[in-house]
mmCIF file with all atom_site columns, all heavy atoms in Angstrom:
data_model
loop_
_atom_site.group_PDB
_atom_site.id
_atom_site.type_symbol
_atom_site.label_atom_id
_atom_site.label_alt_id
_atom_site.label_comp_id
_atom_site.label_asym_id
_atom_site.label_entity_id
_atom_site.label_seq_id
_atom_site.pdbx_PDB_ins_code
_atom_site.Cartn_x
_atom_site.Cartn_y
_atom_site.Cartn_z
_atom_site.occupancy
_atom_site.B_iso_or_equiv
_atom_site.pdbx_formal_charge
_atom_site.auth_seq_id
_atom_site.auth_comp_id
_atom_site.auth_asym_id
_atom_site.auth_atom_id
_atom_site.pdbx_PDB_model_num
ATOM 1   N N   . PRO E 1 405 ? -22.788 2.128  -11.392 1.00 95.00 ? 921 PRO E N   1
ATOM 2   C CA  . PRO E 1 405 ? -22.417 3.050  -12.469 1.00 95.00 ? 921 PRO E CA  1
ATOM 3   C C   . PRO E 1 405 ? -21.158 3.825  -12.099 1.00 95.00 ? 921 PRO E C   1
ATOM 4   O O   . PRO E 1 405 ? -21.042 4.310  -10.961 1.00 95.00 ? 921 PRO E O   1
ATOM 5   C CB  . PRO E 1 405 ? -23.629 3.980  -12.566 1.00 95.00 ? 921 PRO E CB  1
ATOM 6   C CG  . PRO E 1 405 ? -24.759 3.214  -11.965 1.00 95.00 ? 921 PRO E CG  1
ATOM 7   C CD  . PRO E 1 405 ? -24.154 2.375  -10.890 1.00 95.00 ? 921 PRO E CD  1
ATOM 8   N N   . TRP E 1 406 ? -20.226 3.940  -13.044 1.00 96.00 ? 922 TRP E N   1
ATOM 9   C CA  . TRP E 1 406 ? -18.971 4.607  -12.728 1.00 96.00 ? 922 TRP E CA  1
ATOM 10  C C   . TRP E 1 406 ? -19.182 6.063  -12.324 1.00 96.00 ? 922 TRP E C   1
ATOM 11  O O   . TRP E 1 406 ? -18.445 6.595  -11.493 1.00 96.00 ? 922 TRP E O   1
ATOM 12  C CB  . TRP E 1 406 ? -17.999 4.524  -13.903 1.00 96.00 ? 922 TRP E CB  1
ATOM 13  C CG  . TRP E 1 406 ? -16.658 5.089  -13.502 1.00 96.00 ? 922 TRP E CG  1
ATOM 14  C CD1 . TRP E 1 406 ? -16.153 6.306  -13.813 1.00 96.00 ? 922 TRP E CD1 1
ATOM 15  C CD2 . TRP E 1 406 ? -15.702 4.455  -12.649 1.00 96.00 ? 922 TRP E CD2 1
ATOM 16  N NE1 . TRP E 1 406 ? -14.926 6.475  -13.220 1.00 96.00 ? 922 TRP E NE1 1
ATOM 17  C CE2 . TRP E 1 406 ? -14.626 5.357  -12.505 1.00 96.00 ? 922 TRP E CE2 1
ATOM 18  C CE3 . TRP E 1 406 ? -15.653 3.223  -12.000 1.00 96.00 ? 922 TRP E CE3 1
ATOM 19  C CZ2 . TRP E 1 406 ? -13.497 5.053  -11.728 1.00 96.00 ? 922 TRP E CZ2 1
ATOM 20  C CZ3 . TRP E 1 406 ? -14.531 2.917  -11.232 1.00 96.00 ? 922 TRP E CZ3 1
ATOM 21  C CH2 . TRP E 1 406 ? -13.482 3.825  -11.103 1.00 96.00 ? 922 TRP E CH2 1
ATOM 22  N N   . LYS E 1 407 ? -20.210 6.701  -12.860 1.00 95.00 ? 923 LYS E N   1
ATOM 23  C CA  . LYS E 1 407 ? -20.446 8.102  -12.489 1.00 95.00 ? 923 LYS E CA  1
ATOM 24  C C   . LYS E 1 407 ? -20.726 8.227  -10.994 1.00 95.00 ? 923 LYS E C   1
ATOM 25  O O   . LYS E 1 407 ? -20.358 9.226  -10.366 1.00 95.00 ? 923 LYS E O   1
ATOM 26  C CB  . LYS E 1 407 ? -21.596 8.699  -13.301 1.00 95.00 ? 923 LYS E CB  1
ATOM 27  C CG  . LYS E 1 407 ? -22.944 8.030  -13.111 1.00 95.00 ? 923 LYS E CG  1
ATOM 28  C CD  . LYS E 1 407 ? -24.014 8.695  -13.965 1.00 95.00 ? 923 LYS E CD  1
ATOM 29  C CE  . LYS E 1 407 ? -25.370 8.006  -13.807 1.00 95.00 ? 923 LYS E CE  1
ATOM 30  N NZ  . LYS E 1 407 ? -25.869 8.018  -12.415 1.00 95.00 ? 923 LYS E NZ  1
ATOM 31  N N   . ASP E 1 408 ? -21.349 7.208  -10.393 1.00 94.00 ? 924 ASP E N   1
ATOM 32  C CA  . ASP E 1 408 ? -21.599 7.243  -8.952  1.00 94.00 ? 924 ASP E CA  1
ATOM 33  C C   . ASP E 1 408 ? -20.300 7.048  -8.175  1.00 94.00 ? 924 ASP E C   1
ATOM 34  O O   . ASP E 1 408 ? -20.080 7.692  -7.151  1.00 94.00 ? 924 ASP E O   1
ATOM 35  C CB  . ASP E 1 408 ? -22.600 6.156  -8.563  1.00 94.00 ? 924 ASP E CB  1
ATOM 36  C CG  . ASP E 1 408 ? -23.972 6.366  -9.177  1.00 94.00 ? 924 ASP E CG  1
ATOM 37  O OD1 . ASP E 1 408 ? -24.256 7.512  -9.613  1.00 94.00 ? 924 ASP E OD1 1
ATOM 38  O OD2 . ASP E 1 408 ? -24.759 5.403  -9.238  1.00 94.00 ? 924 ASP E OD2 1
ATOM 39  N N   . VAL E 1 409 ? -19.470 6.140  -8.663  1.00 96.00 ? 925 VAL E N   1
ATOM 40  C CA  . VAL E 1 409 ? -18.166 5.942  -8.042  1.00 96.00 ? 925 VAL E CA  1
ATOM 41  C C   . VAL E 1 409 ? -17.349 7.230  -8.123  1.00 96.00 ? 925 VAL E C   1
ATOM 42  O O   . VAL E 1 409 ? -16.679 7.638  -7.165  1.00 96.00 ? 925 VAL E O   1
ATOM 43  C CB  . VAL E 1 409 ? -17.414 4.782  -8.727  1.00 96.00 ? 925 VAL E CB  1
ATOM 44  C CG1 . VAL E 1 409 ? -15.978 4.652  -8.205  1.00 96.00 ? 925 VAL E CG1 1
ATOM 45  C CG2 . VAL E 1 409 ? -18.167 3.466  -8.540  1.00 96.00 ? 925 VAL E CG2 1
ATOM 46  N N   . ASP E 1 410 ? -17.425 7.888  -9.255  1.00 97.00 ? 926 ASP E N   1
ATOM 47  C CA  . ASP E 1 410 ? -16.580 9.063  -9.483  1.00 97.00 ? 926 ASP E CA  1
ATOM 48  C C   . ASP E 1 410 ? -16.997 10.251 -8.628  1.00 97.00 ? 926 ASP E C   1
ATOM 49  O O   . ASP E 1 410 ? -16.146 11.061 -8.241  1.00 97.00 ? 926 ASP E O   1
ATOM 50  C CB  . ASP E 1 410 ? -16.612 9.446  -10.968 1.00 97.00 ? 926 ASP E CB  1
ATOM 51  C CG  . ASP E 1 410 ? -15.438 10.328 -11.348 1.00 97.00 ? 926 ASP E CG  1
ATOM 52  O OD1 . ASP E 1 410 ? -14.302 9.996  -10.950 1.00 97.00 ? 926 ASP E OD1 1
ATOM 53  O OD2 . ASP E 1 410 ? -15.652 11.327 -12.050 1.00 97.00 ? 926 ASP E OD2 1
ATOM 54  N N   . VAL E 1 411 ? -18.279 10.376 -8.305  1.00 96.00 ? 927 VAL E N   1
ATOM 55  C CA  . VAL E 1 411 ? -18.719 11.497 -7.465  1.00 96.00 ? 927 VAL E CA  1
ATOM 56  C C   . VAL E 1 411 ? -18.031 11.427 -6.107  1.00 96.00 ? 927 VAL E C   1
ATOM 57  O O   . VAL E 1 411 ? -17.458 12.417 -5.621  1.00 96.00 ? 927 VAL E O   1
ATOM 58  C CB  . VAL E 1 411 ? -20.255 11.484 -7.297  1.00 96.00 ? 927 VAL E CB  1
ATOM 59  C CG1 . VAL E 1 411 ? -20.681 12.450 -6.191  1.00 96.00 ? 927 VAL E CG1 1
ATOM 60  C CG2 . VAL E 1 411 ? -20.931 11.874 -8.609  1.00 96.00 ? 927 VAL E CG2 1
ATOM 61  N N   . LEU E 1 412 ? -18.086 10.262 -5.478  1.00 97.00 ? 928 LEU E N   1
ATOM 62  C CA  . LEU E 1 412 ? -17.428 10.102 -4.190  1.00 97.00 ? 928 LEU E CA  1
ATOM 63  C C   . LEU E 1 412 ? -15.913 10.081 -4.355  1.00 97.00 ? 928 LEU E C   1
ATOM 64  O O   . LEU E 1 412 ? -15.168 10.599 -3.499  1.00 97.00 ? 928 LEU E O   1
ATOM 65  C CB  . LEU E 1 412 ? -17.901 8.818  -3.506  1.00 97.00 ? 928 LEU E CB  1
ATOM 66  C CG  . LEU E 1 412 ? -17.360 8.542  -2.101  1.00 97.00 ? 928 LEU E CG  1
ATOM 67  C CD1 . LEU E 1 412 ? -17.674 9.699  -1.151  1.00 97.00 ? 928 LEU E CD1 1
ATOM 68  C CD2 . LEU E 1 412 ? -17.927 7.241  -1.548  1.00 97.00 ? 928 LEU E CD2 1
ATOM 69  N N   . GLY E 1 413 ? -15.443 9.506  -5.454  1.00 97.00 ? 929 GLY E N   1
ATOM 70  C CA  . GLY E 1 413 ? -14.010 9.460  -5.712  1.00 97.00 ? 929 GLY E CA  1
ATOM 71  C C   . GLY E 1 413 ? -13.396 10.850 -5.807  1.00 97.00 ? 929 GLY E C   1
ATOM 72  O O   . GLY E 1 413 ? -12.299 11.082 -5.290  1.00 97.00 ? 929 GLY E O   1
ATOM 73  N N   . ARG E 1 414 ? -14.075 11.772 -6.444  1.00 96.00 ? 930 ARG E N   1
ATOM 74  C CA  . ARG E 1 414 ? -13.545 13.137 -6.533  1.00 96.00 ? 930 ARG E CA  1
ATOM 75  C C   . ARG E 1 414 ? -13.402 13.760 -5.146  1.00 96.00 ? 930 ARG E C   1
ATOM 76  O O   . ARG E 1 414 ? -12.447 14.494 -4.878  1.00 96.00 ? 930 ARG E O   1
ATOM 77  C CB  . ARG E 1 414 ? -14.436 13.997 -7.424  1.00 96.00 ? 930 ARG E CB  1
ATOM 78  C CG  . ARG E 1 414 ? -14.288 13.694 -8.908  1.00 96.00 ? 930 ARG E CG  1
ATOM 79  C CD  . ARG E 1 414 ? -15.195 14.566 -9.755  1.00 96.00 ? 930 ARG E CD  1
ATOM 80  N NE  . ARG E 1 414 ? -15.049 14.255 -11.161 1.00 96.00 ? 930 ARG E NE  1
ATOM 81  C CZ  . ARG E 1 414 ? -14.125 14.798 -11.972 1.00 96.00 ? 930 ARG E CZ  1
ATOM 82  N NH1 . ARG E 1 414 ? -13.274 15.686 -11.483 1.00 96.00 ? 930 ARG E NH1 1
ATOM 83  N NH2 . ARG E 1 414 ? -14.074 14.468 -13.241 1.00 96.00 ? 930 ARG E NH2 1
ATOM 84  N N   . GLN E 1 415 ? -14.358 13.475 -4.268  1.00 95.00 ? 931 GLN E N   1
ATOM 85  C CA  . GLN E 1 415 ? -14.255 13.987 -2.899  1.00 95.00 ? 931 GLN E CA  1
ATOM 86  C C   . GLN E 1 415 ? -13.028 13.415 -2.197  1.00 95.00 ? 931 GLN E C   1
ATOM 87  O O   . GLN E 1 415 ? -12.287 14.141 -1.514  1.00 95.00 ? 931 GLN E O   1
ATOM 88  C CB  . GLN E 1 415 ? -15.506 13.635 -2.109  1.00 95.00 ? 931 GLN E CB  1
ATOM 89  C CG  . GLN E 1 415 ? -16.777 14.311 -2.577  1.00 95.00 ? 931 GLN E CG  1
ATOM 90  C CD  . GLN E 1 415 ? -17.981 13.890 -1.748  1.00 95.00 ? 931 GLN E CD  1
ATOM 91  O OE1 . GLN E 1 415 ? -17.851 13.562 -0.564  1.00 95.00 ? 931 GLN E OE1 1
ATOM 92  N NE2 . GLN E 1 415 ? -19.148 13.875 -2.365  1.00 95.00 ? 931 GLN E NE2 1
ATOM 93  N N   . MET E 1 416 ? -12.817 12.110 -2.355  1.00 97.00 ? 932 MET E N   1
ATOM 94  C CA  . MET E 1 416 ? -11.677 11.488 -1.690  1.00 97.00 ? 932 MET E CA  1
ATOM 95  C C   . MET E 1 416 ? -10.356 11.975 -2.271  1.00 97.00 ? 932 MET E C   1
ATOM 96  O O   . MET E 1 416 ? -9.419  12.297 -1.522  1.00 97.00 ? 932 MET E O   1
ATOM 97  C CB  . MET E 1 416 ? -11.770 9.966  -1.799  1.00 97.00 ? 932 MET E CB  1
ATOM 98  C CG  . MET E 1 416 ? -12.928 9.377  -1.008  1.00 97.00 ? 932 MET E CG  1
ATOM 99  S SD  . MET E 1 416 ? -12.896 7.566  -0.960  1.00 97.00 ? 932 MET E SD  1
ATOM 100 C CE  . MET E 1 416 ? -11.520 7.277  0.157   1.00 97.00 ? 932 MET E CE  1
ATOM 101 N N   . ARG E 1 417 ? -10.272 12.063 -3.585  1.00 98.00 ? 933 ARG E N   1
ATOM 102 C CA  . ARG E 1 417 ? -9.024  12.539 -4.180  1.00 98.00 ? 933 ARG E CA  1
ATOM 103 C C   . ARG E 1 417 ? -8.741  13.984 -3.786  1.00 98.00 ? 933 ARG E C   1
ATOM 104 O O   . ARG E 1 417 ? -7.583  14.355 -3.557  1.00 98.00 ? 933 ARG E O   1
ATOM 105 C CB  . ARG E 1 417 ? -9.083  12.382 -5.705  1.00 98.00 ? 933 ARG E CB  1
ATOM 106 C CG  . ARG E 1 417 ? -9.061  10.917 -6.149  1.00 98.00 ? 933 ARG E CG  1
ATOM 107 C CD  . ARG E 1 417 ? -8.906  10.785 -7.644  1.00 98.00 ? 933 ARG E CD  1
ATOM 108 N NE  . ARG E 1 417 ? -10.057 11.262 -8.403  1.00 98.00 ? 933 ARG E NE  1
ATOM 109 C CZ  . ARG E 1 417 ? -11.144 10.549 -8.661  1.00 98.00 ? 933 ARG E CZ  1
ATOM 110 N NH1 . ARG E 1 417 ? -11.251 9.313  -8.179  1.00 98.00 ? 933 ARG E NH1 1
ATOM 111 N NH2 . ARG E 1 417 ? -12.129 11.039 -9.381  1.00 98.00 ? 933 ARG E NH2 1
ATOM 112 N N   . ARG E 1 418 ? -9.795  14.782 -3.696  1.00 96.00 ? 934 ARG E N   1
ATOM 113 C CA  . ARG E 1 418 ? -9.601  16.166 -3.253  1.00 96.00 ? 934 ARG E CA  1
ATOM 114 C C   . ARG E 1 418 ? -9.083  16.207 -1.822  1.00 96.00 ? 934 ARG E C   1
ATOM 115 O O   . ARG E 1 418 ? -8.158  16.953 -1.496  1.00 96.00 ? 934 ARG E O   1
ATOM 116 C CB  . ARG E 1 418 ? -10.923 16.933 -3.376  1.00 96.00 ? 934 ARG E CB  1
ATOM 117 C CG  . ARG E 1 418 ? -10.797 18.434 -3.093  1.00 96.00 ? 934 ARG E CG  1
ATOM 118 C CD  . ARG E 1 418 ? -11.959 19.201 -3.707  1.00 96.00 ? 934 ARG E CD  1
ATOM 119 N NE  . ARG E 1 418 ? -13.238 18.671 -3.298  1.00 96.00 ? 934 ARG E NE  1
ATOM 120 C CZ  . ARG E 1 418 ? -14.167 18.225 -4.151  1.00 96.00 ? 934 ARG E CZ  1
ATOM 121 N NH1 . ARG E 1 418 ? -13.950 18.229 -5.465  1.00 96.00 ? 934 ARG E NH1 1
ATOM 122 N NH2 . ARG E 1 418 ? -15.334 17.757 -3.719  1.00 96.00 ? 934 ARG E NH2 1
ATOM 123 N N   . ALA E 1 419 ? -9.643  15.360 -0.962  1.00 97.00 ? 935 ALA E N   1
ATOM 124 C CA  . ALA E 1 419 ? -9.198  15.319 0.436   1.00 97.00 ? 935 ALA E CA  1
ATOM 125 C C   . ALA E 1 419 ? -7.752  14.817 0.532   1.00 97.00 ? 935 ALA E C   1
ATOM 126 O O   . ALA E 1 419 ? -6.939  15.383 1.278   1.00 97.00 ? 935 ALA E O   1
ATOM 127 C CB  . ALA E 1 419 ? -10.130 14.429 1.247   1.00 97.00 ? 935 ALA E CB  1
ATOM 128 N N   . TRP E 1 420 ? -7.433  13.765 -0.218  1.00 98.00 ? 936 TRP E N   1
ATOM 129 C CA  . TRP E 1 420 ? -6.084  13.197 -0.154  1.00 98.00 ? 936 TRP E CA  1
ATOM 130 C C   . TRP E 1 420 ? -5.040  14.214 -0.630  1.00 98.00 ? 936 TRP E C   1
ATOM 131 O O   . TRP E 1 420 ? -3.984  14.365 -0.008  1.00 98.00 ? 936 TRP E O   1
ATOM 132 C CB  . TRP E 1 420 ? -6.018  11.933 -0.994  1.00 98.00 ? 936 TRP E CB  1
ATOM 133 C CG  . TRP E 1 420 ? -6.240  10.619 -0.301  1.00 98.00 ? 936 TRP E CG  1
ATOM 134 C CD1 . TRP E 1 420 ? -5.473  9.497  -0.437  1.00 98.00 ? 936 TRP E CD1 1
ATOM 135 C CD2 . TRP E 1 420 ? -7.309  10.249 0.582   1.00 98.00 ? 936 TRP E CD2 1
ATOM 136 N NE1 . TRP E 1 420 ? -5.994  8.460  0.316   1.00 98.00 ? 936 TRP E NE1 1
ATOM 137 C CE2 . TRP E 1 420 ? -7.117  8.899  0.956   1.00 98.00 ? 936 TRP E CE2 1
ATOM 138 C CE3 . TRP E 1 420 ? -8.409  10.927 1.113   1.00 98.00 ? 936 TRP E CE3 1
ATOM 139 C CZ2 . TRP E 1 420 ? -7.975  8.222  1.826   1.00 98.00 ? 936 TRP E CZ2 1
ATOM 140 C CZ3 . TRP E 1 420 ? -9.274  10.250 1.977   1.00 98.00 ? 936 TRP E CZ3 1
ATOM 141 C CH2 . TRP E 1 420 ? -9.052  8.933  2.331   1.00 98.00 ? 936 TRP E CH2 1
ATOM 142 N N   . THR E 1 421 ? -5.332  14.895 -1.729  1.00 98.00 ? 937 THR E N   1
ATOM 143 C CA  . THR E 1 421 ? -4.344  15.835 -2.266  1.00 98.00 ? 937 THR E CA  1
ATOM 144 C C   . THR E 1 421 ? -4.304  17.137 -1.469  1.00 98.00 ? 937 THR E C   1
ATOM 145 O O   . THR E 1 421 ? -3.244  17.758 -1.363  1.00 98.00 ? 937 THR E O   1
ATOM 146 C CB  . THR E 1 421 ? -4.609  16.118 -3.752  1.00 98.00 ? 937 THR E CB  1
ATOM 147 O OG1 . THR E 1 421 ? -5.964  16.573 -3.939  1.00 98.00 ? 937 THR E OG1 1
ATOM 148 C CG2 . THR E 1 421 ? -4.396  14.865 -4.596  1.00 98.00 ? 937 THR E CG2 1
ATOM 149 N N   . GLN E 1 422 ? -5.435  17.554 -0.896  1.00 97.00 ? 938 GLN E N   1
ATOM 150 C CA  . GLN E 1 422 ? -5.417  18.704 0.006   1.00 97.00 ? 938 GLN E CA  1
ATOM 151 C C   . GLN E 1 422 ? -4.541  18.406 1.220   1.00 97.00 ? 938 GLN E C   1
ATOM 152 O O   . GLN E 1 422 ? -3.776  19.255 1.673   1.00 97.00 ? 938 GLN E O   1
ATOM 153 C CB  . GLN E 1 422 ? -6.840  19.035 0.471   1.00 97.00 ? 938 GLN E CB  1
ATOM 154 C CG  . GLN E 1 422 ? -7.682  19.793 -0.537  1.00 97.00 ? 938 GLN E CG  1
ATOM 155 C CD  . GLN E 1 422 ? -7.268  21.255 -0.608  1.00 97.00 ? 938 GLN E CD  1
ATOM 156 O OE1 . GLN E 1 422 ? -6.718  21.724 -1.606  1.00 97.00 ? 938 GLN E OE1 1
ATOM 157 N NE2 . GLN E 1 422 ? -7.521  21.988 0.460   1.00 97.00 ? 938 GLN E NE2 1
#
Side-chain angles (χ1 to χ4, degrees):
W922 186 258
K923 62 180 179 60
D924 296 342
V925 173
D926 199 46
V927 168
L928 183 57
R930 286 180 181 273
Q931 294 179 29
M932 292 188 73
R933 291 189 292 276
R934 187 159 54 238
W936 266 227
T937 55
Q938 282 284 112

